Amino acid sequence: MIARIAKILLTACAGLLGLVTGLGNIFDYGTNFEVLRHVVSMDTTDADAALMSRAILSDTLQRLFYAGIIATELAYGALCLYGALRLFGARKGDAARFETAKQWAIGGLALGFALYFFGFMIIGGEWFQMWRSIDWNFQQPAFRFIGSLGLILLFVAQPEAPRG
C-alpha cells in the first residue's frame, strides 16, 4: 500500500508542477517569453549562416510556440492530477484495477517528459543551438524537469505485484 500511495503522491506532485508552471507562464508571460524569443531567434548563439537559417524571427510564430508550451504544461498537469485521482480511487483494489488506473498518470507524465525532452533539449537545445548561448541556455532547468518526470514515470509504470 505504501508504494501505491507514493505513486499517487508523486503523480499529484507532477500534476501540480505542470499546472503551476503553465499558470506561471500565463500570469508572468513576459519573463519566459523573453527566453523563448531569444532561443528561437538564435540572436545570442553566434551560429554560422547555415544554422541561422533555422531562426524564427516572426513574433506571431514565437507566440504560437510559447502558447503550445503553455498548453502542453497545463495538459500534462491536468492529466497527472486526473491520473492521481484515478489511482487514489483504485488504491484498495487488486493489481489489475490499479494497473488500469495508471493510464492517465502515465499519459500525463509521458507528455510532460516529452515536452521538456523534445521541446527543450532537441528543438531548443540542438535545433536552435541554445547550448551556444551564455545568457539564454535553459537546458539545465529543462533537464531537472526531464529527470524528475522521468523518474516518476518509471516508478509509476512499474507493474503492480499481486497482493498475497
PDB file of all heavy atoms in Angstrom, residues 53-92:
ATOM      1  N   SER A  53      19.744  29.991 -40.571  1.00  0.00           N
ATOM      2  CA  SER A  53      18.539  29.900 -41.403  1.00  0.00           C
ATOM      3  C   SER A  53      17.394  29.232 -40.632  1.00  0.00           C
ATOM      4  O   SER A  53      16.241  29.319 -41.035  1.00  0.00           O
ATOM      5  CB  SER A  53      18.832  29.119 -42.688  1.00  0.00           C
ATOM      6  OG  SER A  53      19.137  27.762 -42.372  1.00  0.00           O
ATOM      7  N   ARG A  54      17.696  28.594 -39.513  1.00  0.00           N
ATOM      8  CA  ARG A  54      16.674  27.963 -38.678  1.00  0.00           C
ATOM      9  C   ARG A  54      15.934  28.976 -37.804  1.00  0.00           C
ATOM     10  O   ARG A  54      14.878  28.667 -37.265  1.00  0.00           O
ATOM     11  CB  ARG A  54      17.318  26.937 -37.750  1.00  0.00           C
ATOM     12  CG  ARG A  54      18.024  25.820 -38.454  1.00  0.00           C
ATOM     13  CD  ARG A  54      18.738  24.948 -37.451  1.00  0.00           C
ATOM     14  NE  ARG A  54      19.399  23.834 -38.095  1.00  0.00           N
ATOM     15  CZ  ARG A  54      20.127  22.941 -37.463  1.00  0.00           C
ATOM     16  NH1 ARG A  54      20.297  23.021 -36.154  1.00  0.00           N
ATOM     17  NH2 ARG A  54      20.687  21.952 -38.114  1.00  0.00           N
ATOM     18  N   ALA A  55      16.506  30.132 -37.612  1.00  0.00           N
ATOM     19  CA  ALA A  55      15.956  31.119 -36.673  1.00  0.00           C
ATOM     20  C   ALA A  55      14.524  31.509 -37.042  1.00  0.00           C
ATOM     21  O   ALA A  55      14.177  31.619 -38.217  1.00  0.00           O
ATOM     22  CB  ALA A  55      16.840  32.360 -36.649  1.00  0.00           C
ATOM     23  N   ILE A  56      13.714  31.702 -36.023  1.00  0.00           N
ATOM     24  CA  ILE A  56      12.344  32.181 -36.206  1.00  0.00           C
ATOM     25  C   ILE A  56      12.281  33.603 -35.663  1.00  0.00           C
ATOM     26  O   ILE A  56      12.441  33.825 -34.458  1.00  0.00           O
ATOM     27  CB  ILE A  56      11.339  31.269 -35.481  1.00  0.00           C
ATOM     28  CG1 ILE A  56      11.364  29.882 -36.104  1.00  0.00           C
ATOM     29  CG2 ILE A  56       9.940  31.877 -35.512  1.00  0.00           C
ATOM     30  CD1 ILE A  56      10.492  28.872 -35.402  1.00  0.00           C
ATOM     31  N   LEU A  57      12.047  34.544 -36.554  1.00  0.00           N
ATOM     32  CA  LEU A  57      12.032  35.952 -36.181  1.00  0.00           C
ATOM     33  C   LEU A  57      10.616  36.514 -36.095  1.00  0.00           C
ATOM     34  O   LEU A  57      10.420  37.614 -35.591  1.00  0.00           O
ATOM     35  CB  LEU A  57      12.865  36.767 -37.172  1.00  0.00           C
ATOM     36  CG  LEU A  57      14.321  36.287 -37.316  1.00  0.00           C
ATOM     37  CD1 LEU A  57      15.039  37.088 -38.388  1.00  0.00           C
ATOM     38  CD2 LEU A  57      15.052  36.369 -35.991  1.00  0.00           C
ATOM     39  N   SER A  58       9.647  35.765 -36.555  1.00  0.00           N
ATOM     40  CA  SER A  58       8.257  36.216 -36.535  1.00  0.00           C
ATOM     41  C   SER A  58       7.708  36.210 -35.109  1.00  0.00           C
ATOM     42  O   SER A  58       7.691  35.178 -34.438  1.00  0.00           O
ATOM     43  CB  SER A  58       7.405  35.290 -37.407  1.00  0.00           C
ATOM     44  OG  SER A  58       6.038  35.452 -37.119  1.00  0.00           O
ATOM     45  N   ASP A  59       7.239  37.375 -34.665  1.00  0.00           N
ATOM     46  CA  ASP A  59       6.645  37.485 -33.331  1.00  0.00           C
ATOM     47  C   ASP A  59       5.429  36.561 -33.206  1.00  0.00           C
ATOM     48  O   ASP A  59       5.228  35.925 -32.168  1.00  0.00           O
ATOM     49  CB  ASP A  59       6.247  38.940 -33.053  1.00  0.00           C
ATOM     50  CG  ASP A  59       5.688  39.122 -31.658  1.00  0.00           C
ATOM     51  OD1 ASP A  59       6.461  38.961 -30.685  1.00  0.00           O
ATOM     52  OD2 ASP A  59       4.477  39.397 -31.534  1.00  0.00           O
ATOM     53  N   THR A  60       4.646  36.462 -34.257  1.00  0.00           N
ATOM     54  CA  THR A  60       3.457  35.607 -34.235  1.00  0.00           C
ATOM     55  C   THR A  60       3.841  34.148 -34.036  1.00  0.00           C
ATOM     56  O   THR A  60       3.245  33.448 -33.204  1.00  0.00           O
ATOM     57  CB  THR A  60       2.649  35.773 -35.534  1.00  0.00           C
ATOM     58  OG1 THR A  60       2.284  37.153 -35.669  1.00  0.00           O
ATOM     59  CG2 THR A  60       1.408  34.898 -35.536  1.00  0.00           C
ATOM     60  N   LEU A  61       4.828  33.672 -34.788  1.00  0.00           N
ATOM     61  CA  LEU A  61       5.268  32.275 -34.640  1.00  0.00           C
ATOM     62  C   LEU A  61       5.885  32.035 -33.263  1.00  0.00           C
ATOM     63  O   LEU A  61       5.666  30.980 -32.656  1.00  0.00           O
ATOM     64  CB  LEU A  61       6.252  31.895 -35.740  1.00  0.00           C
ATOM     65  CG  LEU A  61       5.651  31.667 -37.119  1.00  0.00           C
ATOM     66  CD1 LEU A  61       6.746  31.345 -38.132  1.00  0.00           C
ATOM     67  CD2 LEU A  61       4.619  30.548 -37.086  1.00  0.00           C
ATOM     68  N   GLN A  62       6.638  32.993 -32.771  1.00  0.00           N
ATOM     69  CA  GLN A  62       7.222  32.858 -31.440  1.00  0.00           C
ATOM     70  C   GLN A  62       6.120  32.730 -30.391  1.00  0.00           C
ATOM     71  O   GLN A  62       6.193  31.888 -29.494  1.00  0.00           O
ATOM     72  CB  GLN A  62       8.121  34.059 -31.125  1.00  0.00           C
ATOM     73  CG  GLN A  62       9.373  34.104 -31.957  1.00  0.00           C
ATOM     74  CD  GLN A  62      10.149  35.401 -31.796  1.00  0.00           C
ATOM     75  OE1 GLN A  62       9.706  36.340 -31.145  1.00  0.00           O
ATOM     76  NE2 GLN A  62      11.332  35.455 -32.406  1.00  0.00           N
ATOM     77  N   ARG A  63       5.087  33.538 -30.504  1.00  0.00           N
ATOM     78  CA  ARG A  63       3.974  33.479 -29.547  1.00  0.00           C
ATOM     79  C   ARG A  63       3.193  32.177 -29.682  1.00  0.00           C
ATOM     80  O   ARG A  63       2.710  31.629 -28.685  1.00  0.00           O
ATOM     81  CB  ARG A  63       3.077  34.703 -29.691  1.00  0.00           C
ATOM     82  CG  ARG A  63       3.789  35.961 -29.212  1.00  0.00           C
ATOM     83  CD  ARG A  63       2.905  37.192 -29.202  1.00  0.00           C
ATOM     84  NE  ARG A  63       3.708  38.365 -28.921  1.00  0.00           N
ATOM     85  CZ  ARG A  63       4.111  38.735 -27.707  1.00  0.00           C
ATOM     86  NH1 ARG A  63       3.793  38.011 -26.658  1.00  0.00           N
ATOM     87  NH2 ARG A  63       4.844  39.821 -27.541  1.00  0.00           N
ATOM     88  N   LEU A  64       3.079  31.655 -30.891  1.00  0.00           N
ATOM     89  CA  LEU A  64       2.419  30.360 -31.087  1.00  0.00           C
ATOM     90  C   LEU A  64       3.218  29.233 -30.427  1.00  0.00           C
ATOM     91  O   LEU A  64       2.634  28.337 -29.812  1.00  0.00           O
ATOM     92  CB  LEU A  64       2.217  30.073 -32.577  1.00  0.00           C
ATOM     93  CG  LEU A  64       1.066  30.824 -33.241  1.00  0.00           C
ATOM     94  CD1 LEU A  64       1.086  30.605 -34.754  1.00  0.00           C
ATOM     95  CD2 LEU A  64      -0.270  30.391 -32.654  1.00  0.00           C
ATOM     96  N   PHE A  65       4.525  29.278 -30.575  1.00  0.00           N
ATOM     97  CA  PHE A  65       5.382  28.290 -29.908  1.00  0.00           C
ATOM     98  C   PHE A  65       5.166  28.352 -28.396  1.00  0.00           C
ATOM     99  O   PHE A  65       5.009  27.326 -27.735  1.00  0.00           O
ATOM    100  CB  PHE A  65       6.868  28.563 -30.205  1.00  0.00           C
ATOM    101  CG  PHE A  65       7.411  27.836 -31.391  1.00  0.00           C
ATOM    102  CD1 PHE A  65       7.016  28.165 -32.666  1.00  0.00           C
ATOM    103  CD2 PHE A  65       8.348  26.835 -31.230  1.00  0.00           C
ATOM    104  CE1 PHE A  65       7.532  27.510 -33.759  1.00  0.00           C
ATOM    105  CE2 PHE A  65       8.868  26.170 -32.318  1.00  0.00           C
ATOM    106  CZ  PHE A  65       8.458  26.506 -33.591  1.00  0.00           C
ATOM    107  N   TYR A  66       5.172  29.562 -27.869  1.00  0.00           N
ATOM    108  CA  TYR A  66       5.020  29.747 -26.430  1.00  0.00           C
ATOM    109  C   TYR A  66       3.647  29.268 -25.959  1.00  0.00           C
ATOM    110  O   TYR A  66       3.531  28.605 -24.932  1.00  0.00           O
ATOM    111  CB  TYR A  66       5.253  31.215 -26.084  1.00  0.00           C
ATOM    112  CG  TYR A  66       5.437  31.504 -24.610  1.00  0.00           C
ATOM    113  CD1 TYR A  66       6.251  30.712 -23.813  1.00  0.00           C
ATOM    114  CD2 TYR A  66       4.816  32.589 -24.018  1.00  0.00           C
ATOM    115  CE1 TYR A  66       6.442  30.989 -22.469  1.00  0.00           C
ATOM    116  CE2 TYR A  66       5.005  32.885 -22.677  1.00  0.00           C
ATOM    117  CZ  TYR A  66       5.808  32.080 -21.909  1.00  0.00           C
ATOM    118  OH  TYR A  66       5.989  32.354 -20.574  1.00  0.00           O
ATOM    119  N   ALA A  67       2.614  29.577 -26.727  1.00  0.00           N
ATOM    120  CA  ALA A  67       1.266  29.110 -26.396  1.00  0.00           C
ATOM    121  C   ALA A  67       1.219  27.581 -26.395  1.00  0.00           C
ATOM    122  O   ALA A  67       0.564  26.972 -25.532  1.00  0.00           O
ATOM    123  CB  ALA A  67       0.247  29.673 -27.378  1.00  0.00           C
ATOM    124  N   GLY A  68       1.928  26.956 -27.328  1.00  0.00           N
ATOM    125  CA  GLY A  68       1.988  25.495 -27.367  1.00  0.00           C
ATOM    126  C   GLY A  68       2.653  24.916 -26.124  1.00  0.00           C
ATOM    127  O   GLY A  68       2.212  23.899 -25.579  1.00  0.00           O
ATOM    128  N   ILE A  69       3.709  25.570 -25.675  1.00  0.00           N
ATOM    129  CA  ILE A  69       4.398  25.128 -24.463  1.00  0.00           C
ATOM    130  C   ILE A  69       3.466  25.249 -23.258  1.00  0.00           C
ATOM    131  O   ILE A  69       3.318  24.310 -22.467  1.00  0.00           O
ATOM    132  CB  ILE A  69       5.695  25.930 -24.239  1.00  0.00           C
ATOM    133  CG1 ILE A  69       6.737  25.572 -25.292  1.00  0.00           C
ATOM    134  CG2 ILE A  69       6.247  25.694 -22.828  1.00  0.00           C
ATOM    135  CD1 ILE A  69       7.938  26.498 -25.327  1.00  0.00           C
ATOM    136  N   ILE A  70       2.811  26.394 -23.140  1.00  0.00           N
ATOM    137  CA  ILE A  70       1.907  26.615 -22.012  1.00  0.00           C
ATOM    138  C   ILE A  70       0.763  25.606 -22.040  1.00  0.00           C
ATOM    139  O   ILE A  70       0.419  25.003 -21.011  1.00  0.00           O
ATOM    140  CB  ILE A  70       1.372  28.066 -22.016  1.00  0.00           C
ATOM    141  CG1 ILE A  70       2.517  29.047 -21.746  1.00  0.00           C
ATOM    142  CG2 ILE A  70       0.248  28.238 -21.000  1.00  0.00           C
ATOM    143  CD1 ILE A  70       2.148  30.515 -21.992  1.00  0.00           C
ATOM    144  N   ALA A  71       0.165  25.394 -23.209  1.00  0.00           N
ATOM    145  CA  ALA A  71      -0.941  24.445 -23.325  1.00  0.00           C
ATOM    146  C   ALA A  71      -0.491  23.037 -22.946  1.00  0.00           C
ATOM    147  O   ALA A  71      -1.222  22.297 -22.272  1.00  0.00           O
ATOM    148  CB  ALA A  71      -1.501  24.462 -24.751  1.00  0.00           C
ATOM    149  N   THR A  72       0.708  22.665 -23.349  1.00  0.00           N
ATOM    150  CA  THR A  72       1.219  21.338 -23.025  1.00  0.00           C
ATOM    151  C   THR A  72       1.493  21.211 -21.532  1.00  0.00           C
ATOM    152  O   THR A  72       1.213  20.162 -20.929  1.00  0.00           O
ATOM    153  CB  THR A  72       2.479  21.027 -23.853  1.00  0.00           C
ATOM    154  OG1 THR A  72       2.175  21.196 -25.237  1.00  0.00           O
ATOM    155  CG2 THR A  72       2.960  19.592 -23.616  1.00  0.00           C
ATOM    156  N   GLU A  73       2.024  22.252 -20.910  1.00  0.00           N
ATOM    157  CA  GLU A  73       2.238  22.223 -19.457  1.00  0.00           C
ATOM    158  C   GLU A  73       0.919  22.045 -18.717  1.00  0.00           C
ATOM    159  O   GLU A  73       0.811  21.216 -17.802  1.00  0.00           O
ATOM    160  CB  GLU A  73       2.930  23.507 -18.988  1.00  0.00           C
ATOM    161  CG  GLU A  73       4.374  23.589 -19.399  1.00  0.00           C
ATOM    162  CD  GLU A  73       4.990  24.961 -19.198  1.00  0.00           C
ATOM    163  OE1 GLU A  73       4.267  25.983 -19.165  1.00  0.00           O
ATOM    164  OE2 GLU A  73       6.232  25.017 -19.097  1.00  0.00           O
ATOM    165  N   LEU A  74      -0.087  22.796 -19.125  1.00  0.00           N
ATOM    166  CA  LEU A  74      -1.392  22.681 -18.476  1.00  0.00           C
ATOM    167  C   LEU A  74      -2.012  21.306 -18.726  1.00  0.00           C
ATOM    168  O   LEU A  74      -2.629  20.720 -17.828  1.00  0.00           O
ATOM    169  CB  LEU A  74      -2.324  23.797 -18.957  1.00  0.00           C
ATOM    170  CG  LEU A  74      -1.912  25.215 -18.574  1.00  0.00           C
ATOM    171  CD1 LEU A  74      -2.825  26.238 -19.254  1.00  0.00           C
ATOM    172  CD2 LEU A  74      -1.899  25.406 -17.065  1.00  0.00           C
ATOM    173  N   ALA A  75      -1.838  20.794 -19.948  1.00  0.00           N
ATOM    174  CA  ALA A  75      -2.405  19.482 -20.283  1.00  0.00           C
ATOM    175  C   ALA A  75      -1.740  18.370 -19.480  1.00  0.00           C
ATOM    176  O   ALA A  75      -2.428  17.516 -18.909  1.00  0.00           O
ATOM    177  CB  ALA A  75      -2.261  19.221 -21.787  1.00  0.00           C
ATOM    178  N   TYR A  76      -0.410  18.367 -19.404  1.00  0.00           N
ATOM    179  CA  TYR A  76       0.220  17.287 -18.650  1.00  0.00           C
ATOM    180  C   TYR A  76      -0.079  17.413 -17.170  1.00  0.00           C
ATOM    181  O   TYR A  76      -0.259  16.412 -16.470  1.00  0.00           O
ATOM    182  CB  TYR A  76       1.720  17.147 -18.972  1.00  0.00           C
ATOM    183  CG  TYR A  76       2.714  17.848 -18.092  1.00  0.00           C
ATOM    184  CD1 TYR A  76       3.007  17.387 -16.806  1.00  0.00           C
ATOM    185  CD2 TYR A  76       3.426  18.953 -18.549  1.00  0.00           C
ATOM    186  CE1 TYR A  76       3.952  18.022 -16.016  1.00  0.00           C
ATOM    187  CE2 TYR A  76       4.363  19.586 -17.768  1.00  0.00           C
ATOM    188  CZ  TYR A  76       4.626  19.118 -16.499  1.00  0.00           C
ATOM    189  OH  TYR A  76       5.564  19.735 -15.707  1.00  0.00           O
ATOM    190  N   GLY A  77      -0.179  18.646 -16.682  1.00  0.00           N
ATOM    191  CA  GLY A  77      -0.552  18.843 -15.288  1.00  0.00           C
ATOM    192  C   GLY A  77      -1.936  18.291 -14.990  1.00  0.00           C
ATOM    193  O   GLY A  77      -2.146  17.581 -14.005  1.00  0.00           O
ATOM    194  N   ALA A  78      -2.894  18.626 -15.852  1.00  0.00           N
ATOM    195  CA  ALA A  78      -4.267  18.148 -15.662  1.00  0.00           C
ATOM    196  C   ALA A  78      -4.342  16.627 -15.780  1.00  0.00           C
ATOM    197  O   ALA A  78      -5.031  15.967 -14.984  1.00  0.00           O
ATOM    198  CB  ALA A  78      -5.188  18.817 -16.684  1.00  0.00           C
ATOM    199  N   LEU A  79      -3.651  16.055 -16.755  1.00  0.00           N
ATOM    200  CA  LEU A  79      -3.651  14.597 -16.911  1.00  0.00           C
ATOM    201  C   LEU A  79      -3.068  13.901 -15.690  1.00  0.00           C
ATOM    202  O   LEU A  79      -3.588  12.879 -15.230  1.00  0.00           O
ATOM    203  CB  LEU A  79      -2.870  14.188 -18.165  1.00  0.00           C
ATOM    204  CG  LEU A  79      -3.553  14.435 -19.504  1.00  0.00           C
ATOM    205  CD1 LEU A  79      -2.566  14.226 -20.646  1.00  0.00           C
ATOM    206  CD2 LEU A  79      -4.763  13.535 -19.663  1.00  0.00           C
ATOM    207  N   CYS A  80      -1.987  14.446 -15.164  1.00  0.00           N
ATOM    208  CA  CYS A  80      -1.383  13.853 -13.969  1.00  0.00           C
ATOM    209  C   CYS A  80      -2.310  13.952 -12.764  1.00  0.00           C
ATOM    210  O   CYS A  80      -2.454  12.975 -12.011  1.00  0.00           O
ATOM    211  CB  CYS A  80      -0.035  14.521 -13.651  1.00  0.00           C
ATOM    212  SG  CYS A  80       1.306  14.053 -14.755  1.00  0.00           S
ATOM    213  N   LEU A  81      -2.943  15.093 -12.573  1.00  0.00           N
ATOM    214  CA  LEU A  81      -3.852  15.228 -11.432  1.00  0.00           C
ATOM    215  C   LEU A  81      -5.058  14.298 -11.581  1.00  0.00           C
ATOM    216  O   LEU A  81      -5.476  13.656 -10.616  1.00  0.00           O
ATOM    217  CB  LEU A  81      -4.296  16.677 -11.261  1.00  0.00           C
ATOM    218  CG  LEU A  81      -3.231  17.609 -10.697  1.00  0.00           C
ATOM    219  CD1 LEU A  81      -3.745  19.037 -10.647  1.00  0.00           C
ATOM    220  CD2 LEU A  81      -2.783  17.158  -9.312  1.00  0.00           C
ATOM    221  N   TYR A  82      -5.590  14.210 -12.782  1.00  0.00           N
ATOM    222  CA  TYR A  82      -6.691  13.276 -13.021  1.00  0.00           C
ATOM    223  C   TYR A  82      -6.212  11.839 -12.800  1.00  0.00           C
ATOM    224  O   TYR A  82      -6.909  11.024 -12.186  1.00  0.00           O
ATOM    225  CB  TYR A  82      -7.260  13.453 -14.430  1.00  0.00           C
ATOM    226  CG  TYR A  82      -8.416  12.539 -14.715  1.00  0.00           C
ATOM    227  CD1 TYR A  82      -9.630  12.711 -14.054  1.00  0.00           C
ATOM    228  CD2 TYR A  82      -8.299  11.499 -15.628  1.00  0.00           C
ATOM    229  CE1 TYR A  82     -10.700  11.857 -14.301  1.00  0.00           C
ATOM    230  CE2 TYR A  82      -9.358  10.657 -15.884  1.00  0.00           C
ATOM    231  CZ  TYR A  82     -10.557  10.841 -15.219  1.00  0.00           C
ATOM    232  OH  TYR A  82     -11.606   9.980 -15.468  1.00  0.00           O
ATOM    233  N   GLY A  83      -5.005  11.554 -13.272  1.00  0.00           N
ATOM    234  CA  GLY A  83      -4.424  10.222 -13.056  1.00  0.00           C
ATOM    235  C   GLY A  83      -4.246   9.922 -11.577  1.00  0.00           C
ATOM    236  O   GLY A  83      -4.501   8.798 -11.123  1.00  0.00           O
ATOM    237  N   ALA A  84      -3.813  10.914 -10.805  1.00  0.00           N
ATOM    238  CA  ALA A  84      -3.652  10.714  -9.364  1.00  0.00           C
ATOM    239  C   ALA A  84      -4.998  10.422  -8.710  1.00  0.00           C
ATOM    240  O   ALA A  84      -5.094   9.551  -7.824  1.00  0.00           O
ATOM    241  CB  ALA A  84      -2.998  11.942  -8.726  1.00  0.00           C
ATOM    242  N   LEU A  85      -6.048  11.109  -9.155  1.00  0.00           N
ATOM    243  CA  LEU A  85      -7.392  10.833  -8.628  1.00  0.00           C
ATOM    244  C   LEU A  85      -7.852   9.417  -8.980  1.00  0.00           C
ATOM    245  O   LEU A  85      -8.431   8.721  -8.139  1.00  0.00           O
ATOM    246  CB  LEU A  85      -8.396  11.857  -9.164  1.00  0.00           C
ATOM    247  CG  LEU A  85      -8.312  13.248  -8.567  1.00  0.00           C
ATOM    248  CD1 LEU A  85      -9.248  14.202  -9.299  1.00  0.00           C
ATOM    249  CD2 LEU A  85      -8.640  13.213  -7.074  1.00  0.00           C
ATOM    250  N   ARG A  86      -7.582   9.009 -10.205  1.00  0.00           N
ATOM    251  CA  ARG A  86      -7.932   7.641 -10.623  1.00  0.00           C
ATOM    252  C   ARG A  86      -7.161   6.610  -9.803  1.00  0.00           C
ATOM    253  O   ARG A  86      -7.717   5.600  -9.373  1.00  0.00           O
ATOM    254  CB  ARG A  86      -7.635   7.449 -12.122  1.00  0.00           C
ATOM    255  CG  ARG A  86      -8.456   8.286 -13.074  1.00  0.00           C
ATOM    256  CD  ARG A  86      -9.874   7.790 -13.225  1.00  0.00           C
ATOM    257  NE  ARG A  86      -9.926   6.390 -13.556  1.00  0.00           N
ATOM    258  CZ  ARG A  86     -10.281   5.896 -14.744  1.00  0.00           C
ATOM    259  NH1 ARG A  86     -10.628   6.716 -15.710  1.00  0.00           N
ATOM    260  NH2 ARG A  86     -10.298   4.602 -14.950  1.00  0.00           N
ATOM    261  N   LEU A  87      -5.887   6.865  -9.578  1.00  0.00           N
ATOM    262  CA  LEU A  87      -5.074   5.959  -8.766  1.00  0.00           C
ATOM    263  C   LEU A  87      -5.583   5.922  -7.325  1.00  0.00           C
ATOM    264  O   LEU A  87      -5.648   4.848  -6.718  1.00  0.00           O
ATOM    265  CB  LEU A  87      -3.603   6.385  -8.791  1.00  0.00           C
ATOM    266  CG  LEU A  87      -2.863   6.198 -10.108  1.00  0.00           C
ATOM    267  CD1 LEU A  87      -1.494   6.850 -10.049  1.00  0.00           C
ATOM    268  CD2 LEU A  87      -2.755   4.737 -10.464  1.00  0.00           C
ATOM    269  N   PHE A  88      -5.944   7.075  -6.812  1.00  0.00           N
ATOM    270  CA  PHE A  88      -6.462   7.130  -5.442  1.00  0.00           C
ATOM    271  C   PHE A  88      -7.735   6.287  -5.325  1.00  0.00           C
ATOM    272  O   PHE A  88      -7.909   5.545  -4.346  1.00  0.00           O
ATOM    273  CB  PHE A  88      -6.737   8.581  -5.027  1.00  0.00           C
ATOM    274  CG  PHE A  88      -7.154   8.720  -3.603  1.00  0.00           C
ATOM    275  CD1 PHE A  88      -6.221   8.671  -2.582  1.00  0.00           C
ATOM    276  CD2 PHE A  88      -8.492   8.883  -3.270  1.00  0.00           C
ATOM    277  CE1 PHE A  88      -6.600   8.784  -1.247  1.00  0.00           C
ATOM    278  CE2 PHE A  88      -8.892   9.004  -1.953  1.00  0.00           C
ATOM    279  CZ  PHE A  88      -7.948   8.954  -0.933  1.00  0.00           C
ATOM    280  N   GLY A  89      -8.600   6.388  -6.309  1.00  0.00           N
ATOM    281  CA  GLY A  89      -9.827   5.597  -6.307  1.00  0.00           C
ATOM    282  C   GLY A  89      -9.580   4.102  -6.403  1.00  0.00           C
ATOM    283  O   GLY A  89     -10.386   3.301  -5.917  1.00  0.00           O
ATOM    284  N   ALA A  90      -8.474   3.713  -7.009  1.00  0.00           N
ATOM    285  CA  ALA A  90      -8.159   2.288  -7.205  1.00  0.00           C
ATOM    286  C   ALA A  90      -7.169   1.756  -6.178  1.00  0.00           C
ATOM    287  O   ALA A  90      -6.787   0.586  -6.229  1.00  0.00           O
ATOM    288  CB  ALA A  90      -7.594   2.084  -8.614  1.00  0.00           C
ATOM    289  N   ARG A  91      -6.768   2.572  -5.225  1.00  0.00           N
ATOM    290  CA  ARG A  91      -5.678   2.203  -4.320  1.00  0.00           C
ATOM    291  C   ARG A  91      -5.958   0.942  -3.506  1.00  0.00           C
ATOM    292  O   ARG A  91      -5.040   0.205  -3.171  1.00  0.00           O
ATOM    293  CB  ARG A  91      -5.335   3.367  -3.394  1.00  0.00           C
ATOM    294  CG  ARG A  91      -6.329   3.609  -2.304  1.00  0.00           C
ATOM    295  CD  ARG A  91      -6.084   4.913  -1.566  1.00  0.00           C
ATOM    296  NE  ARG A  91      -7.039   5.127  -0.506  1.00  0.00           N
ATOM    297  CZ  ARG A  91      -8.298   5.495  -0.670  1.00  0.00           C
ATOM    298  NH1 ARG A  91      -8.761   5.696  -1.891  1.00  0.00           N
ATOM    299  NH2 ARG A  91      -9.096   5.655   0.361  1.00  0.00           N
ATOM    300  N   LYS A  92      -7.210   0.657  -3.190  1.00  0.00           N
ATOM    301  CA  LYS A  92      -7.542  -0.519  -2.380  1.00  0.00           C
ATOM    302  C   LYS A  92      -7.944  -1.714  -3.234  1.00  0.00           C
ATOM    303  O   LYS A  92      -8.213  -2.785  -2.693  1.00  0.00           O
ATOM    304  CB  LYS A  92      -8.659  -0.180  -1.392  1.00  0.00           C
ATOM    305  CG  LYS A  92      -8.224   0.831  -0.342  1.00  0.00           C
ATOM    306  CD  LYS A  92      -9.337   1.131   0.632  1.00  0.00           C
ATOM    307  CE  LYS A  92      -8.866   2.147   1.664  1.00  0.00           C
ATOM    308  NZ  LYS A  92      -9.934   2.515   2.596  1.00  0.00           N
TER     309      LYS A  92
END
